[in-house]
Amino acid sequence: MNLSAGPGLQQDMKFTTSLRVVLPAAAAAALLSAGLLSAASLPAGAATMPKFATPKAYGTSFQRDPHHDFTKHISPRHDGILRGWVTHYRSGVAEYEPIRWVKDKTGHTEGHFEGPPEGDVMAYASPVAKNVVFYSAIGCKGTTVTVTNGGLGSKRCSRSELISRMKNVHHPALITVYRGKIVKVQEIYTP
């Protein structure tokens, strides 16, 4: 191909070459700006938080944390999502334990959640992050069922509402722990 064929062809080649440079840069800028917008809508640190495997909401066995040493003082669970409930809350720290779904054999109800048997030490304690994300299964006022098809809470409520519930009654939930703190709580609806 003769590039000296004329100024028009050389101009087209320069334009095409500049598009090869400009378009990827523009696409990268658009992706970056979209990423910044979605990262801004997440709690601090959530943009870098890895995706954890979600356990079954109504799983029938206790989740284990094989790397946790329960013989030492009560401490945070390793990073991940635990099906559990908070058993005690004080001064920004929640104590929690794994739970499992027990089907009702009498047929009167669908079943219920239960914690570990008495004497089985499976408790954890973690600070509740200042920017914790809380999804309620019964609405923020506790009067309306707000769940997804899987029985998980879908109504986002405030941190103060979460703390209030932690202080009062055991609420089954998927509890996400990241870097030693509780960063997300998604209630599980109990029929």
Side-chain angles (χ1 to χ4, degrees), residues 68 74-77 88 93-96 123-127 177 180-182:
H68 193 82
I74 190 167
S75 60
R77 184 178 194 280
H88 185 73
V93 177
E95 291 182 19
Y96 53 102
Y124 307 96
S126 296
V177 176
K181 293 183 179 181
I182 295 175

Side-chain angles (χ1 to χ4, degrees), residues 137-152:
I138 54 172
C140 298
K141 295 183 180 182
T143 58
T144 310
V145 175
T146 53
V147 295
T148 63
N149 287 339
L152 296 174

Side-chain angles (χ1 to χ4, degrees), residues 108-128:
H108 292 88
T109 65
E110 292 183 38
H112 65 276
F113 283 102
E114 69 178 15
E118 190 69 33
D120 192 345
V121 181
M122 293 176 66
Y124 307 96
S126 296
V128 178

Side-chain angles (χ1 to χ4, degrees), residues 67-84:
H67 305 292
H68 193 82
D69 186 355
F70 289 104
T71 62
K72 296 184 178 177
H73 67 282
I74 190 167
S75 60
R77 184 178 194 280
H78 284 83
D79 290 355
I81 303 173
L82 175 73
R83 180 184 53 256

Side-chain angles (χ1 to χ4, degrees), residues 92 128-132 159 181-182:
V128 178
K130 297 282 186 214
N131 57 353
V132 65
R159 181 180 192 274
K181 293 183 179 181
I182 295 175

Side-chain angles (χ1 to χ4, degrees), residues 6-16:
L9 182 58
Q10 287 178 347
Q11 198 71 327
D12 286 345
M13 293 294 287
K14 286 180 184 175
F15 179 72
T16 304

Side-chain angles (χ1 to χ4, degrees), residues 55-64 82-83 98-102 113-114 122:
K56 291 181 180 180
Y58 299 95
T60 56
S61 62
F62 294 115
Q63 289 174 261
R64 302 284 177 195
L82 175 73
R83 180 184 53 256
I99 58 173
R100 68 178 176 185
W101 180 253
V102 178
F113 283 102
E114 69 178 15
M122 293 176 66

